[in-house]
């Protein structure tokens, strides 16, 4: 039982059959890689299985019973997700295949000849602002946009503690800035960024603001209207949902003003041989057969998270991260990359062990203890370069993790040190 009132972690673990797995050699699984991709509760798996078995048809285009049942379930999933993130309108929820696609969709809207709106015009002299702590998914689309339009890409630096350095905010976000896009929570440092000062500056200079909420939406209650930004991207597989489904939330009037991203069936109003007109949002951005069962599965994931309670999940993870931040530094030679206090940070801890390559750390933790962590640069290479290291080992916690699993990690790391003398 967790100390968070009413939160029964053992009860939650029963919903995730994989957590009872014994790995070869009889090792119990210790899954500390949810920042990469989370496990799925039986409720999500069963909803998807039931839909595929009894209700499956294509959405939007079939008049028969199965087509209509699928359409209703798919659109109901949109309603659930809109409510989950406080979207003012269900039409502001665009289903994509993942967070990367949602970020690319917005980046594509700029400097596109179809877009007549001044806010999306971009060329030499314009600036895009990101940060040094971004996942590649929130770097590369903006690099491509800068290359395509001649705009300049700029970024917030990161402090030694692993916080966003906003000292130069006034100069960095200026009259030339068209869009600011930053992580709500870092997938490496765990840092939760404070949005309001950056948003206030973006508003002052007339820039749009996007949040990559891939690591925050699964772990804390996120209300897009309260945040006040223009776009938010997140991804289903990190929030107990399936892979193959992501979400872009955008303000309705901005989505209306943006050009389509991909062309194809179901995103049109009418098609002639030489031109087309487009369906209203969100369908304008959902070309072709969408990830139907995945969207329905994400709806079930949101039901599951709501039933547990996002505030309870956040409190449980805070307890786990506080425990780990006490225990890990006692290991000689261990250096945490990111904030060392459980304040304004989530349940992701990346670290190095002096003289031992993270790949060896991950290998031994897996081989000997069945502990799944991620090693490498976690798709945030520039951030690792900033800290002068090629890679880290990352343990990331979720609602189903326990302090006993953190104890196992600590034991495993002591063993790693013994192996490497
Ligand atoms: C902060 C952040 N942004 C974006 C992504 C990309 O998510 P996806 O691979 O689902 O597109 C990830 C995934 O690790 C992430 O952690």
């Amino acid at each position: 039982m967790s100390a968070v009132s009413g939160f029964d972690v053992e009860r939650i673990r029963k919903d995730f059959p994989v957590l009872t797995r014994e790995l070869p050699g009889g090792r119990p699984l210790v899954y500390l890689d949810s920042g990469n991709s989370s496990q799925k509760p039986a409720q999500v798996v069963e909803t998807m299985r039931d839909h595929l078995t009894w209700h499956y048809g294509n959405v939007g285009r079939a008049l028969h019973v199965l087509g209509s049942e699928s359409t209703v379930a798919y659109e109901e999933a949109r309603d659930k997700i809109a409510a989950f993130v406080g979207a003012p309108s269900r039409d502001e929820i665009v289903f994509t295949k993942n967070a990367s696609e949602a970020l690319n969709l917005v980046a594509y809207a700029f400097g596109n000849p179809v877009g007549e709106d001044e806010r999306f015009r971009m060329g030499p002299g314009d600036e895009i602002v990101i940060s040094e702590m971004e996942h590649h998914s929130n770097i590369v689309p903006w690099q491509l946009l800068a290359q395509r339009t001649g705009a300049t890409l700029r970024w917030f630096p990161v402090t030694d503690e692993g916080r966003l350095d906003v000292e130069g905010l006034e100069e960095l976000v200026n009259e030339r800035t068209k869009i600011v896009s930053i992580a709500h929570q870092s997938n490496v440092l765990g840092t939760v960024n404070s949005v309001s000062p950056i948003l206030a500056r973006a508003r002052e200079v007339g820039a749009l603001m996007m949040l990559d909420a891939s690591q925050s939406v699964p772990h804390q209650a996120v209300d897009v209207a309260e945040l006040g930004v223009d776009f938010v991207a997140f991804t289903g597989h990190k929030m107990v949902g399936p892979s193959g489904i992501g979400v872009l939330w955008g303000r309705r009037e901005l989505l209306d003003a943006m050009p389509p991203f991909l062309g194809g069936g179901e995103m049109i109003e009418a098609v002639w041989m030489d031109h087309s007109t487009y369906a209203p949002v969100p369908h304008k951005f959902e070309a072709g057969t969408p990830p139907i069962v995945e969207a329905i599965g994400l709806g079930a994931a949101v039901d599951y998270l709501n039933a547990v309670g996002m505030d309870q999940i956040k409190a449980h993870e805070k307890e786990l991260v506080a425990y780990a931040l006490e225990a890990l530094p006692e290991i000689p030679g261990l250096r945490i990359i990111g904030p060392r206090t459980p304040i304004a940070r989530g349940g992701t801890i990346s670290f190095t062990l002096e003289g031992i390559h993270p790949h060896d750390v991950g290998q031994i933790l897996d081989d000997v203890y069945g502990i799944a962590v991620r090693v490498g640069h976690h798709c945030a290479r520039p951030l690792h370069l900033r800290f002068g290291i090629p890679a880290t080992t990352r343990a990331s916690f979720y609602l189903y993790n326990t302090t006993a699993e953190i104890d196992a990690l600590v034991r495993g790391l002591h063993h790693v040190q013994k192996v490497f003398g």
Side-chain angles (χ1 to χ4, degrees):
M1 188 82 169
S2 154
V4 177
S5 89
F7 189 92
D8 184 350
V9 68
E10 290 308 326
R11 171 70 206 85
I12 284 166
R13 287 176 71 82
K14 291 198 171 79
D15 292 332
F16 294 81
V18 72
L19 299 178
T20 63
R21 248 196 84 172
E22 266 194 8
L23 302 177
R27 293 160 298 155
L29 171 68
V30 176
Y31 192 75
L32 301 179
D33 197 21
S34 298
N36 189 357
S37 206
S38 73
Q39 294 300 335
K40 324 299 173 198
Q43 291 86 334
V44 167
V45 176
E46 177 52 28
T47 299
M48 294 174 75
R49 195 197 63 80
D50 179 73
H51 192 87
L52 279 167
T53 309
W54 299 110
H55 307 285
Y56 182 80
N58 209 339
V59 294
R61 55 191 96 185
L63 284 179
H64 50 70
V65 171
L66 295 183
S68 127
E69 286 179 359
S70 264
T71 304
V72 167
Y74 179 72
E75 293 302 333
E76 273 178 6
R78 197 189 306 276
D79 290 333
K80 289 176 187 184
I81 290 146
F84 187 65
V85 296
S89 158
R90 68 182 309 282
D91 295 338
E92 296 177 338
I93 298 294
V94 178
F95 284 128
T96 59
K97 92 170 177 269
N98 48 34
S100 304
E101 188 178 291
L103 288 154
N104 276 276
L105 192 162
V106 174
Y108 180 77
F110 289 86
N112 188 312
V114 183
E116 290 300 315
D117 196 294
E118 169 58 27
R119 290 167 297 185
F120 294 101
R121 233 170 260 153
M122 190 172 279
D126 292 325
E127 295 180 0
I128 305 157
V129 175
I130 57 172
S131 90
E132 218 175 4
M133 68 166 73
E134 300 310 314
H135 187 282
H136 296 164
S137 294
N138 197 28
I139 299 177
V140 183
W142 305 111
Q143 289 176 342
L144 292 170
L145 173 62
Q147 283 160 16
R148 188 157 55 84
T149 60
T152 303
L153 184 62
R154 304 186 65 193
W155 50 87
F156 287 98
V158 168
T159 67
D160 290 343
E161 203 217 346
R163 305 271 182 200
L164 213 55
D165 182 350
V166 290
E167 217 159 80
L169 172 64
E170 303 270 308
E171 193 282 317
L172 187 61
V173 178
N174 60 55
E175 281 66 25
R176 295 183 298 279
T177 309
K178 282 273 168 130
I179 183 152
V180 179
S181 185
I182 59 161
H184 195 196
Q185 179 173 325
S186 161
N187 66 314
V188 176
L189 308 162
T191 308
V192 176
N193 289 316
S194 171
V195 176
S196 44
I198 300 170
L199 178 63
R201 180 62 184 154
R203 290 290 177 254
E204 236 169 64
V205 299
L208 296 172
M209 182 155 178
M210 179 160 199
L211 276 189
D212 174 2
S214 303
Q215 296 286 346
S216 59
V217 166
H219 302 283
Q220 64 173 85
V222 168
D223 185 304
V224 295
E226 215 170 86
L227 281 169
V229 296
D230 299 301
F231 302 102
V232 172
F234 53 100
T235 195
H237 66 96
K238 294 187 201 288
M239 51 189 287
V240 308
S243 55
I245 183 78
V247 176
L248 168 68
W249 169 80
R251 285 184 192 281
R252 173 76 198 246
E253 61 93 20
L254 290 170
L255 293 176
D256 282 340
M258 285 157 62
F261 178 45
L262 302 172
E266 293 302 309
M267 52 74 73
I268 51 84
E269 180 186 63
V271 178
W272 291 265
M273 282 314 291
D274 59 349
H275 74 286
S276 300
T277 54
Y278 308 117
V281 297
H283 303 289
K284 179 172 82 175
F285 296 112
E286 294 180 4
T289 299
I292 302 167
V293 184
E294 289 77 4
I296 294 166
L298 183 56
V302 159
D303 286 342
Y304 184 85
L305 294 173
N306 277 331
V308 177
M310 290 309 294
D311 290 343
Q312 301 282 85
I313 292 172
K314 184 180 173 186
H316 174 66
E317 287 179 30
K318 189 168 178 167
E319 206 174 85
L320 293 177
V321 81
Y323 188 86
L325 287 171
E326 287 265 311
L328 289 173
E330 283 173 16
I331 297 166
L334 187 140
R335 172 187 173 207
I336 291 177
I337 308 296
R340 264 140 273 175
T341 51
I343 296 158
R345 69 149 16 261
T348 292
I349 304 184
S350 298
F351 56 87
T352 54
L353 267 189
E354 205 179 342
I356 309 173
H357 196 281
H359 285 100
D360 294 327
V361 176
Q363 193 72 57
I364 292 177
L365 288 177
D366 182 45
D367 282 354
V368 182
Y369 289 92
I371 298 173
V373 291
R374 186 167 173 194
V375 296
H377 56 49
H378 321 299
C379 299
R381 189 168 180 271
L383 180 66
H384 282 75
L385 294 178
R386 148 72 181 86
F387 283 96
I389 44 178
T392 50
T393 303
R394 181 184 75 182
S396 51
F397 314 129
Y398 207 2
L399 73 167
Y400 38 67
N401 290 121
T402 64
T403 50
E405 291 179 311
I406 295 169
D407 292 339
L409 173 67
V410 170
R411 277 196 304 277
L413 290 171
H414 279 299
H415 180 82
V416 170
Q417 281 191 319
K418 241 181 247 152
V419 171
F420 284 88

